[in-house]
Amino acid sequence: MPKPKVLVTRAWPEAVEARLKASYEVTLTPGDVIHSAADLRAAAGEYDAILPTVTDRIGAEVLAPGGRLKFIGNYGVGYSHIDTGAAKAAGIVVSNTPDVLSDCTADIAMTLLLMVARRAGEGERFLRAGLWDGWRPGQLIGRKVSGATIGIVGFGRIGQAMAQRAHHGFGMKVQVQNRSPIASEVLAAYGARQVASLDEMLSEVDFLSLHCPGGAANRHLIDARRLSLMRPDAFLINTARGEVVDETALAEALAAGRLAGAGLDVYEEEPKVTEALLTMENVALLPHLGSATRETRDAMGNRAVDNLDAFFAGREPPDRVA
Ligand code: DGY
């Protein structure tokens, strides 16, 4: 029997690419170039499976019924770049890579929180610019993180990993907003309280950290109105998806002093970043580093291949999302 034909759209960890080569007729992307929409459309007619990631828009035009494509194994937990409705309609199965990146993504969220609260990015820029002339009692005074209140939006695996760090590492008080009710023992494990609505939480928290999915349902969840409900001394942290925050409204709130600062790892139109944010000292900006550790990127690749293997062995992919 011929091996299934598989396209991997970006350069993956070597060991995972070797694993793919052993079982599939695989086309890799050694130059790590982004495939055009036309390439992806053509690939749907030529390959049995595509293994894309967040930089590939897999819309309805790629997923038209009647192509060769049967399986999409996303390299990443977030899959708002894939039109799962169109995939379903075309009978194409989609999987993602949950669990393996929860700790590292929460680490980056906590890094951003500390960076903005303690003015770490600003301090480093100050020192590297040769402006530091020694210790002063009033220099670069930030906000205390330990004991502060954090609001966590979305209490899945990454939200809980953030609560673990915030509560057990920094003694923070944790409030949680989640679409469905969270079991009381799960909340108790992080000393957390679930609020009835996001609006209710906004005026109470020192830090608001986003861990909900992206996509149409959560587009601009944090908009100008909700930003205005936050306290002017509060900080917003986004490691979820760029579209969850109205970036223009955020820049306006920061410029007007209606918010103390923001830490962002994701953006509405990556790799573009709203110009005004780039010049603000109270904003920490990272280039979508949430899952960027060797261990996690290997694990994401292996998890995607586990799903691919299951699909072509006639089993249910363990991380099927459509
Ligand atoms: C994820 O896994 O969702 C990361 O953001 C990379 O796509």
Side-chain angles (χ1 to χ4, degrees):
M1 211 163 94
K3 291 177 178 176
K5 255 186 106 180
V6 175
L7 172 67
V8 183
T9 64
R10 303 298 302 266
W12 279 20
E14 252 172 60
V16 189
E17 290 187 343
R19 184 179 159 193
L20 279 164
K21 280 187 212 160
S23 309
Y24 300 95
E25 187 188 331
V26 64
T27 302
L28 301 173
T29 304
D32 204 20
V33 289
I34 295 187
H35 289 261
S36 67
D39 272 2
L40 292 172
R41 260 199 314 275
E46 290 165 31
Y47 290 87
D48 298 298
I50 300 180
L51 306 183
T53 190
V54 63
T55 50
D56 303 302
R57 292 267 140 231
I58 312 278
E61 68 293 348
V62 176
L63 300 166
R68 177 167 175 174
L69 188 63
K70 301 175 201 54
F71 181 79
I72 296 176
N74 186 53
Y75 183 81
V77 67
Y79 52 88
S80 58
H81 53 287
I82 301 172
D83 184 337
T84 48
K88 237 175 173 166
I92 297 166
V93 171
V94 183
S95 68
N96 71 343
T97 61
D99 300 322
V100 291
L101 42 68
S102 306
D103 281 329
C104 289
T105 304
D107 288 348
I108 281 290
M110 190 49 84
T111 300
L112 284 167
L113 189 155
L114 289 165
M115 281 176 78
V116 289
R118 301 301 307 274
R119 302 174 68 173
E122 191 181 350
E124 209 213 13
R125 285 189 290 277
F126 177 74
L127 184 146
R128 283 179 187 267
L131 299 172
W132 192 39
D133 59 0
W135 190 89
R136 288 168 198 264
Q139 192 168 67
L140 287 166
I141 301 303
R143 286 278 301 288
K144 185 173 175 182
V145 170
S146 295
T149 299
I150 185 169
I152 295 182
V153 179
F155 211 52
R157 290 160 285 233
I158 303 174
Q160 288 179 37
M162 185 62 174
Q164 167 80 22
R165 284 149 182 74
H167 182 67
H168 295 290
F170 293 87
M172 295 177 90
K173 299 179 249 328
V174 179
Q175 297 196 12
V176 166
Q177 191 270 327
N178 193 66
R179 268 177 315 185
S180 51
I182 304 293
S184 54
E185 61 273 19
V186 174
L187 291 169
Y190 310 107
R193 175 172 84 84
Q194 183 167 13
V195 296
S197 76
L198 176 55
D199 287 8
E200 177 192 320
M201 164 203 275
L202 293 174
S203 62
E204 292 184 13
V205 300
D206 301 297
F207 300 92
L208 186 74
S209 191
L210 308 177
H211 300 282
C212 55
N218 285 336
R219 189 178 140 72
H220 290 185
L221 181 74
I222 304 300
D223 57 5
R225 185 187 70 80
R226 288 211 165 101
L227 286 166
S228 76
L229 297 178
M230 291 179 70
R231 296 206 316 253
D233 61 350
F235 298 86
L236 176 71
I237 310 298
N238 188 12
T239 54
R241 276 292 179 265
E243 67 262 22
V244 178
V245 175
D246 180 341
E247 220 170 273
T248 305
L250 173 65
E252 282 166 10
L254 288 163
R258 284 186 267 110
L259 198 65
L264 308 176
D265 189 43
V266 288
Y267 307 88
E268 278 198 82
E269 285 177 45
E270 295 182 12
K272 249 179 61 195
V273 177
T274 296
E275 193 73 27
L277 295 174
L278 295 168
T279 61
M280 293 178 179
E281 287 290 8
N282 54 343
V283 177
L285 303 168
L286 295 178
H288 204 145
L289 292 182
S291 60
T293 62
R294 193 173 12 130
E295 295 84 347
T296 291
R297 290 285 161 86
D298 286 353
M300 287 161 67
N302 281 313
R303 189 94 174 206
V305 181
D306 290 345
N307 280 278
L308 181 76
D309 288 351
F311 179 79
F312 284 108
R315 289 180 276 113
E316 177 71 2
D319 305 311
R320 181 174 180 165
V321 293

